[in-house]
Amino acid sequence: MTSPNVFGPSTVKSSPLADWTTLRVGGPAERMVFPESADEVRDTLADAARDGLPWRVLGRGSNLLVSDAGVPGVVLHTRALRGFDDLGPLDPTAAPGSADAAVRVRAGAGLPTSVLLSETRRRGLGGLEALVGYPATVGGAARMNAGGRWGETGARVVSVDVVLPDGGLETWDAARCRFAYRSSALDGVVVVAVEFALPSVDRSEYGRRIEEIHAEKSRAQPLDQSSAGCIFKNPAPGVSAGQLVDQCGLLGARRGGAMVSTKHGNFVVNAGNATCRDVLGLIEDVREEVARRKGVRLEIEVEIWGPGHVPALV
Ligand code: FAD
Ligand code: EPU
């Protein structure tokens, strides 16, 4: 299936995205590309423009709901953009323990966040509690400003290298990324690498904290089932969409193979052969019931990919 020199970077013509997403739902991509460098990302976008095709970026696929019909155009998968470099102290003259004594690390966009966590832990660097307990890539976590109760990704970001739709390569500082609750300005560009500044920590104390967060998440969330994490954004700080769903008696509600988790009301799990249609139907059932009983219209957090949802048209 691979034909490396036909479209430039390593390319697969058609692949069910169910195999590339954690919810395990979705049809094929028209073209799937695995660029290995910023230059190959540029080539990919140029090829897409030449062929009049839309493009999208895929990391671990843990915040996506993909149409059963699949998606038109190019899916640029970041798995081959996975370097990791220790760049040393932010300010070598800074007093130990001060904010400037933080150490800079640079990670490729496709590096799994679990690898970023283990590489930094090994070096006695901390500050990445926000990334514990879910499958993601560095680029996807930056784009979504992923996190929760234990912090957000953007808080540790110094800068992000991006390829723009016209092929320009830029480095954006954290302010330009406009990190906010589950959002950033990194929508519509391709993140190729992220630089973080991380504090030195006591390894065993940090290790214990990571284990505690993991245990707490496993207790509260269905981490052992196929899902795309939380389906809805929380409607306000401190108001859990999952709790509202639970209070409406919807835990365990089903549509075909899609089911509201019995552990957490904001997770829809693939209970076996779920289709995108099942998941969308269940999302609408839940939204309607929560609106009717609680007066709250929940906003969707997961990104929906399909013929009618094209985030980046070249
Ligand atoms: P994908 O799902 O592949 O993509 C998500 C979005 O980012 C898409 O718009 C995609 O185009 C874009 N994107 C991906 N890579 C790039 C790139 N290199 N450049 C530009 N855009 C890019 N999220 C939380 O915030 N907190 C949680 O606690 C949490 N818990 C979860 C638990 C489980 C069990 C699961 C399955 C998911 C959970 N999530 C959570 C959701 C998800 O893991 C995060 O949103 C994660 O950051 C998505 O990363 P990804 O690499 O999988 O991105
Ligand atoms: N709760 C219930 N029933 C439920 C779900 C939750 O009663 O079905 C209660 C919990 O018992 C707790 C409160 O609601 O008292 C808050 O629950 P939780 O700690 O799980 O937090 P959340 O607000 O529901 C948010 C994020 C999660 C993140 C957790 C922990 C959103 C939409 N969700 O959930 O992020 O993991 O905090 O930090 O912001 C995601 O975005 O995909 C995601 C999983």
Side-chain angles (χ1 to χ4, degrees):
M1 278 295 269
T2 53
S3 48
N5 298 316
V6 178
F7 300 114
S10 177
T11 301
V12 170
K13 268 193 178 168
S14 175
S15 170
L17 292 172
D19 293 345
W20 300 90
T21 54
T22 55
L23 187 57
R24 304 194 65 75
V25 161
E30 188 175 348
R31 190 186 290 180
M32 200 153 164
V33 186
F34 303 88
E36 292 180 16
S37 63
D39 279 344
E40 288 196 358
V41 169
R42 282 175 148 153
D43 292 346
T44 302
L45 301 190
D47 289 351
R50 182 198 62 211
D51 298 341
L53 295 175
W55 56 269
R56 313 150 199 269
V57 192
L58 176 62
R60 181 62 186 82
S62 59
N63 201 49
L64 294 178
L65 172 57
V66 180
S67 152
D68 299 318
V71 293
V74 178
V75 168
L76 186 161
H77 198 291
T78 60
R79 72 169 179 194
L81 298 167
R82 29 183 317 155
F84 176 85
D85 291 303
D86 184 338
L87 303 173
L90 201 56
D91 174 1
T93 63
S98 69
D100 288 342
V103 170
R104 295 177 312 144
V105 302
R106 184 184 151 87
L111 191 76
T113 47
S114 56
V115 176
L116 176 68
L117 270 162
S118 58
E119 286 294 331
T120 51
R121 264 177 83 173
R122 225 159 45 80
R123 289 169 168 78
L125 299 175
L128 291 176
E129 290 91 338
L131 293 176
V132 176
Y134 54 96
T137 60
V138 165
R143 154 72 183 87
M144 295 305 302
N145 189 24
R149 202 189 317 162
W150 293 278
E152 290 177 337
T153 306
R156 298 293 179 189
V157 170
V158 177
S159 64
V160 179
D161 291 349
V162 301
V163 174
L164 306 177
D166 67 4
L169 179 62
E170 290 186 349
T171 299
W172 291 6
D173 65 16
R176 184 154 178 208
C177 296
R178 295 204 309 271
F179 292 114
Y181 172 58
R182 298 296 191 275
S183 84
S184 74
L186 299 167
D187 191 11
V189 300
V190 184
V191 173
V192 289
V194 181
E195 190 177 313
F196 298 90
L198 303 175
S200 296
V201 290
D202 179 282
R203 273 176 221 226
S204 43
E205 207 177 288
Y206 183 65
R208 270 197 301 278
R209 179 141 177 75
I210 299 292
E211 296 316 316
E212 270 168 28
I213 295 172
H214 207 278
E216 168 57 19
K217 286 209 156 174
S218 308
R219 188 197 59 74
Q221 302 178 355
L223 301 188
D224 54 348
Q225 287 176 288
S226 300
S227 81
C230 285
I231 291 287
F232 303 106
K233 290 186 180 179
N234 283 346
V239 181
S240 164
Q243 189 165 35
L244 295 178
V245 175
D246 185 359
Q247 286 168 350
C248 290
L250 292 166
L251 298 191
R254 285 187 83 127
R255 271 267 198 146
M259 184 176 84
V260 176
S261 162
T262 50
K263 234 180 186 181
H264 195 294
N266 205 354
F267 283 66
V268 166
V269 299
N270 185 341
N273 300 320
T275 61
C276 182
R277 198 186 168 85
D278 293 338
V279 178
L280 284 174
L282 187 56
I283 288 174
E284 269 324 295
D285 291 348
V286 168
R287 276 177 115 185
E288 273 171 30
E289 191 64 1
V290 171
R292 193 177 67 79
R293 300 208 18 201
K294 298 284 179 181
V296 176
R297 184 84 185 148
L298 294 173
E299 192 189 328
I300 292 176
E301 176 188 319
V302 292
E303 193 170 298
I304 300 171
W305 281 8
H309 294 85
V310 180
L313 263 175
V314 184

